[in-house]
Amino acid sequence: MLRRLLPLLCALALTPFAALAEAPEVLIEEQARQSWGNELPPEARIHVRFSGSRIDEADLISAFWMDRDSGQFLANAVTPEGVTHRLQGRLMAVQALPVPTRRLMPGDLVGVDDVKTVELPVKRVGAYTITETDKLEGMQVRRMLAAGRPVMTQSVMEPLVIDRGDKVNILFDDGRLVVTAPGRALDDAHRGQELRIVNLVSNKPLQAVARGEGLVEVIR
């Protein structure tokens, strides 16, 4: 048995192992992510577009240059045969964002059908841009939202449960005794937000927290 296996083992030992070649887009993306560094969000995708000649696979990128502003790049890609090819093109970093499907006005509630996900260039994504769908759906519009445009965090807010001038039910709870009284809101408020109210029985102004629609709890 050993005598029969020995030639096969020798042949395998003399056969060079093939390098793990990759599509050049993959290797160029790795280089681009290193070049952009912390400027590129981890969830961003990179589209690689070649201009001129291209190849199907490469073992490595031996040299790489890119302009981080325009995305233009030059790269020397080494093929499995050891031949170096000069590749050039443009890189575009994009990020998936929730955007309105229609124009929304102040006071509107953002519904599920009002939001879609699109890919936009990372350079259009600011520090205060909403990047998660659940941070937009169900919110109330503070400033007009344009269809297809990124939404800033300051343009939406938690839905109001109390409007200024609303009649409210005032809750007093000191842990031992719970008392309610009629009141009127002097401010708008969303759930959990502080607001000023007036007790309609005593005509005394109070500070409270909105607990739900028409319900506030006195905090001092």
Side-chain angles (χ1 to χ4, degrees), residues 19-37:
L20 297 176
E22 286 277 10
E25 291 91 339
V26 174
L27 301 176
I28 289 172
E29 178 179 343
E30 291 175 354
Q31 296 288 332
R33 287 188 182 277
Q34 293 178 17
S35 181
W36 266 312

Side-chain angles (χ1 to χ4, degrees), residues 60-85:
L60 58 92
I61 301 297
S62 61
F64 180 79
W65 172 89
M66 69 171 285
D67 177 30
R68 290 189 293 182
D69 293 328
S70 67
Q72 290 184 327
F73 73 88
L74 293 172
N76 288 341
V78 182
T79 67
E81 296 76 27
V83 179
T84 299
H85 288 265

Side-chain angles (χ1 to χ4, degrees), residues 100 103-108 110 140-146 151-157:
R103 185 169 65 176
L104 296 170
M105 303 303 292
D108 288 345
V110 183
Q140 189 165 10
V141 178
R142 293 181 62 189
R143 303 173 184 170
M144 188 196 77
L145 306 181
V151 178
M152 302 295 106
T153 55
Q154 60 269 32
S155 297
V156 294
M157 62 183 178

